[in-house]
Amino acid sequence: MKRIAILSFIISALSFSSIAAQTDTLVINHPQKVTIISNDSLQRVVVNGRQGEDDFHYQNTIRLVDGNYESNTSISRDHWELIPSVKVGKSRRDNDGLSYPHYTNEVTAHVGIGFTCPTHVDERVDFSTFKSWEIFATVLQLDHFLDRRERNKVSLGLGIDWRNYRMTDDQLFTKGPDGNVTVERFPLAYEPKFSRIKVFSLTATLRYEHEFADGFAIGFGPVVNFNTYASIKTRYKFLGDKVKHMEKNIRQRPVTIDWMLNMTIADVPFYVKYSNDNVLKDGGVRFRSLSFGLYL
């Protein structure tokens, strides 16, 4: 009878969308699912989802030990979800052998925005780092969690990438008769604005990530770039008129590999990517890609 009375009290409290613990009160409006698990030594209340937050999770466990009880409460912290995610692949057992809603996989999407800072650059070339940029998107990423606490995961992703390598001094990129890219100086009558190389890629990502604590995580792995398009754009003024000159088919390497390090520190996510491969094929201007920025 005592156990029935306790369960009745819990159910009544949840029906009014509130949970009380000591002097603190947590109000859960419109929970999506409430699970009450009970046996001779353990009682657990699990709440999944609430109004406006599908990923919300609350759990309270009371365990009877030698005539006394231990109480443990966990609650997902409030946060802003900038990137959509979908939980899939539910596992149904925990270490106590009791049913427990735990997801082994998650489908997400991500966006990176940053700057390019080429390395191993020809002496003739002087890139402008903070005027050269990278934008990439992991359109579809599958995260597989390796543990029940979701601290360790392996991710497979497919996406797209734009990279821009820009010069803003008196030099310009140009394509020679053999298709190789070389560097020349603007004629004296020209008023230079910039000259840049742009590379568009389809990407495939494999990465391992470990979350040390809430708001602190590190991931690392390769990104394979299928470089499907590259071009030169040069802008300048001649006799007061604005001029744009484009050249395509500049012999970019068809496949390159980046090594990507992503970190989250105090909930601020950022990335660094570096490639051992030259961006262009042999015979053209030589430089390798290094980029860094925010990874959402």
Side-chain angles (χ1 to χ4, degrees), residues 167-173 183-196 233-237 243 245:
M167 298 188 300
T168 56
D169 55 10
D170 61 348
Q171 296 176 310
L172 65 107
F173 294 112
V183 175
E184 298 179 356
R185 292 195 178 276
F186 279 98
L188 293 177
Y190 291 8
E191 182 182 341
K193 185 175 182 182
F194 69 82
S195 184
R196 64 99 175 113
K233 179 193 285 187
T234 301
R235 286 186 178 273
Y236 57 92
K237 284 186 178 181
V243 181
H245 180 65

Side-chain angles (χ1 to χ4, degrees), residues 8-74:
S8 298
F9 173 77
I10 294 173
I11 295 172
S12 298
L14 289 174
S15 67
F16 284 95
S17 302
S18 65
I19 298 175
Q22 297 180 353
T23 59
D24 296 329
T25 300
L26 171 68
V27 178
I28 304 177
N29 294 316
H30 305 296
Q32 295 180 355
K33 182 179 181 181
V34 178
T35 305
I36 300 174
I37 304 165
S38 181
N39 62 21
D40 292 337
S41 62
L42 179 144
Q43 180 173 288
R44 175 179 294 163
V45 178
V46 179
V47 180
N48 288 309
R50 66 179 178 183
Q51 185 177 19
E53 190 174 348
D54 294 342
D55 291 337
F56 176 81
H57 179 80
Y58 171 89
Q59 176 178 305
N60 179 267
T61 302
I62 298 176
R63 191 186 303 272
L64 185 64
V65 180
D66 298 329
N68 299 313
Y69 74 89
E70 297 177 353
S71 179
N72 180 268
T73 301
S74 66

Side-chain angles (χ1 to χ4, degrees), residues 1 49 121 149 155 227-228 242 252:
M1 292 295 293
V121 181
R149 296 184 63 193
S155 301
N227 305 311
T228 60
K242 294 181 180 180
Q252 76 276 10

Side-chain angles (χ1 to χ4, degrees), residues 10-221:
I10 294 173
I11 295 172
S12 298
L14 289 174
S15 67
F16 284 95
S17 302
S18 65
I19 298 175
Q22 297 180 353
T23 59
D24 296 329
T25 300
L26 171 68
V27 178
I28 304 177
N29 294 316
H30 305 296
Q32 295 180 355
K33 182 179 181 181
V34 178
T35 305
I36 300 174
I37 304 165
S38 181
N39 62 21
D40 292 337
S41 62
L42 179 144
Q43 180 173 288
R44 175 179 294 163
V45 178
V46 179
V47 180
N48 288 309
R50 66 179 178 183
Q51 185 177 19
E53 190 174 348
D54 294 342
D55 291 337
F56 176 81
H57 179 80
Y58 171 89
Q59 176 178 305
N60 179 267
T61 302
I62 298 176
R63 191 186 303 272
L64 185 64
V65 180
D66 298 329
N68 299 313
Y69 74 89
E70 297 177 353
S71 179
N72 180 268
T73 301
S74 66
I75 179 173
S76 63
R77 57 192 177 87
D78 293 334
H79 60 282
W80 291 96
E81 287 290 348
L82 298 177
I83 302 299
S85 63
V86 178
K87 299 281 190 178
V88 295
K90 186 179 292 186
S91 174
R92 300 301 299 177
R93 294 287 175 180
D94 65 5
N95 293 333
D96 299 314
L98 299 173
S99 296
Y100 179 76
H102 162 59
Y103 295 93
T104 56
N105 299 292
E106 184 177 35
V107 177
T108 60
H110 299 274
V111 174
I113 303 174
F115 301 100
T116 59
C117 180
T119 66
H120 296 76
V121 181
D122 279 353
E123 295 180 357
R124 300 169 291 168
V125 182
D126 185 14
F127 288 105
S128 301
T129 296
F130 292 103
K131 294 185 179 180
S132 304
W133 47 261
E134 177 183 39
I135 299 176
F136 66 95
T138 306
V139 180
L140 181 65
Q141 177 170 300
L142 175 64
D143 300 325
H144 176 69
F145 297 105
L146 303 176
D147 62 319
R148 187 168 63 89
R149 296 184 63 193
E150 301 182 1
R151 295 291 191 185
N152 297 278
K153 66 181 180 181
V154 176
S155 301
L156 295 170
L158 299 174
I160 52 179
D161 186 293
W162 292 267
R163 272 183 267 209
N164 178 306
Y165 308 95
R166 179 178 296 208
M167 298 188 300
T168 56
D169 55 10
D170 61 348
Q171 296 176 310
L172 65 107
F173 294 112
T174 184
K175 187 176 74 169
D178 56 0
N180 291 323
V181 176
T182 186
V183 175
E184 298 179 356
R185 292 195 178 276
F186 279 98
L188 293 177
Y190 291 8
E191 182 182 341
K193 185 175 182 182
F194 69 82
S195 184
R196 64 99 175 113
I197 292 174
K198 180 177 73 174
V199 180
F200 172 79
S201 311
L202 303 176
T203 62
T205 305
L206 172 64
R207 190 169 66 256
Y208 167 76
E209 184 172 315
H210 176 71
E211 183 179 10
F212 294 92
D214 289 341
F216 178 38
I218 296 178
F220 182 76

